[in-house]
Amino acid sequence: MVWGAFVQQQHAPAQGEEQQSQPGTQDPQSPAGPPTAAQTEALSRLFNSVKTLTAKEELLQTLRTHLILHVARTHGYSKVMTGDSCTRLAIKLMTSLALGRGAFLAWDTGFSDERHGDVVVVRPMRDHTLKEVAFYNRLFGVPSVFTPAIDTKASEKASIHRLMEAFMLRLQAQFPSTVSTVYRTSEKLVKAPRDSGAAGPQGPRCLLCMCTLDIDTADSATAFGAQTSHLSQMQPPTPPAETPTVPCCSAGVGRAQSCCQGAGPCGRKDPRGHVIEQLCYGCRVNMKDLPSLDPLPPYILAEAQLRSQRAWVSQEIQEYLIEDSDDEVHTSES
């Protein structure tokens, strides 16, 4: 597993701007060979610490997406094609609804996924069912490869993914139009714009799935606001007024801890709260099955620390910033 800086600041090229593609470029910090024994052990420790199979499958899918994006950016590719079929996307749609990811169905099941900015994920096989793909491979002698997964030989009720897959395939056997009906429903979903404006700044994104955060901290009546309020109540009390507050030190690459996790001046907030507050609702639910954040890849913890620093600095200098008046905004737009 490559422990590189997969989570990067998203950059969407402006209209009319051509993105340079250099397939031969290599990242000097990325290992060219197989993962080392220490990396394999760290990955095994991460998955062994997760309690449920559902959270393991979601975490595996997230890390696999990060790795694919890292390889695409390293080689200068702007498009990535996946082999998701119509049947798999129908199962994924129902599974995402059960996992609380309904706000991102258009991105997770659509033909193209542009949430990552510089790399677009496309699904050219989404119009074909698994049976059609199997018949094609059989008739034309296409070799197939089977790789055991973490849910291989698992029971039907071992995870939400397995349960929803068995449910959909059983319905498809009795009612052959089940998959096509669910698939046509996904085609009607409309993607929300990634940016608030053509040149405006992007909103906050989830630390893991890179989707726009579907939370509202001001609305305590929603489940998201209730979770945020619960986290804020668990935070330690703020330091006295005479104690100077300084931004947290960032955890270096390869270090899972920083001074924010100790008793130093930076330990003013629960380190788990730094990560949880930067996740969408679906990822927050999965993180409940991870008792400790230490097994997480260092690049995720470093990115969470960097975002917390930026938020702290922005809050500290907010009163010194000069905002444009309405007249100046209208003048600049005209």
Side-chain angles (χ1 to χ4, degrees):
M1 186 70 183
V2 181
W3 298 115
F6 300 150
V7 180
Q8 301 177 357
Q9 187 69 22
Q10 301 304 307
H11 170 69
Q15 187 175 4
E17 177 185 354
E18 296 183 358
Q19 189 173 3
Q20 299 294 332
S21 176
Q22 299 178 357
T25 57
Q26 293 286 344
D27 188 358
Q29 297 181 354
S30 300
T36 62
Q39 293 173 342
T40 304
E41 182 181 357
L43 188 62
S44 300
R45 185 169 61 252
L46 170 61
F47 280 94
N48 291 334
S49 63
V50 181
K51 298 179 181 179
T52 62
L53 182 59
T54 300
K56 287 183 180 180
E57 294 189 35
E58 285 293 307
L59 181 61
L60 177 61
Q61 182 179 357
T62 299
L63 295 180
R64 183 185 290 118
T65 302
H66 290 180
L67 181 59
I68 292 175
L69 292 175
H70 173 71
V71 173
R73 287 166 178 158
T74 300
H75 293 274
Y77 300 135
S78 60
K79 300 291 189 301
V80 174
M81 293 185 180
T82 61
D84 297 328
S85 63
C86 173
T87 306
R88 290 301 176 190
L89 290 179
I91 297 174
K92 187 175 183 179
L93 184 144
M94 301 300 295
T95 305
S96 298
L97 284 176
L99 293 175
R101 296 185 54 83
F104 315 121
L105 291 179
W107 303 101
D108 294 337
T109 62
F111 175 77
S112 61
D113 184 358
E114 307 93 352
R115 83 183 78 175
H116 308 291
D118 53 345
V119 179
V120 179
V121 179
V122 295
R123 306 177 179 94
M125 299 290 294
R126 67 189 300 263
D127 293 330
H128 306 282
T129 63
L130 282 179
K131 182 177 291 187
E132 294 173 348
V133 175
F135 279 143
Y136 181 89
N137 294 340
R138 178 69 176 177
L139 294 176
F140 292 91
V142 179
S144 59
V145 178
F146 175 76
T147 304
I150 57 177
D151 60 342
T152 302
K153 295 185 178 181
S155 62
E156 181 179 306
K157 299 181 180 180
S159 66
I160 296 179
H161 302 78
R162 293 282 296 172
L163 182 62
M164 198 60 64
E165 179 182 3
F167 172 73
M168 289 292 298
L169 295 180
R170 190 180 299 112
L171 275 182
Q172 177 68 13
Q174 299 176 1
F175 307 97
S177 61
T178 300
V179 170
S180 60
T181 301
V182 177
Y183 170 74
R184 286 196 301 267
T185 303
S186 66
E187 285 187 327
K188 299 178 182 179
L189 299 175
V190 180
K191 298 178 182 178
R194 293 191 298 113
D195 301 332
S196 56
Q202 296 182 358
R205 293 182 174 273
C206 178
L207 191 63
L208 296 180
C209 65
M210 300 309 299
C211 294
T212 305
L213 291 182
D214 54 344
I215 57 175
D216 186 4
T217 56
D219 185 9
S220 59
T222 61
F224 318 113
Q227 285 190 358
T228 307
S229 301
H230 179 65
L231 285 175
S232 61
Q233 294 175 2
M234 296 177 58
Q235 296 175 6
T238 56
E242 63 271 12
T243 303
T245 57
V246 293
C248 296
C249 63
S250 59
V253 178
R255 293 165 48 196
Q257 294 183 351
S258 62
C259 64
C260 292
Q261 296 176 329
C266 298
R268 67 182 185 276
K269 188 175 181 180
D270 181 18
R272 187 180 182 87
H274 283 296
V275 179
I276 296 298
E277 67 184 5
Q278 301 175 36
L279 301 179
C280 63
Y281 175 72
C283 294
R284 291 188 183 192
V285 173
N286 294 325
M287 287 297 294
K288 290 182 179 180
D289 296 325
L290 186 63
S292 175
L293 298 180
D294 293 337
L296 282 177
Y299 72 90
I300 294 180
L301 300 178
E303 178 69 15
Q305 202 68 43
L306 180 61
R307 292 186 183 183
S308 299
Q309 287 184 6
R310 291 174 178 172
W312 183 88
V313 173
S314 177
Q315 183 179 3
E316 289 294 318
I317 66 175
Q318 189 67 31
E319 56 180 327
Y320 302 103
L321 298 179
I322 301 177
E323 298 181 357
D324 296 336
S325 61
D326 296 338
D327 297 337
E328 294 178 351
V329 172
H330 292 305
T331 303
S332 60
E333 291 179 354
S334 60

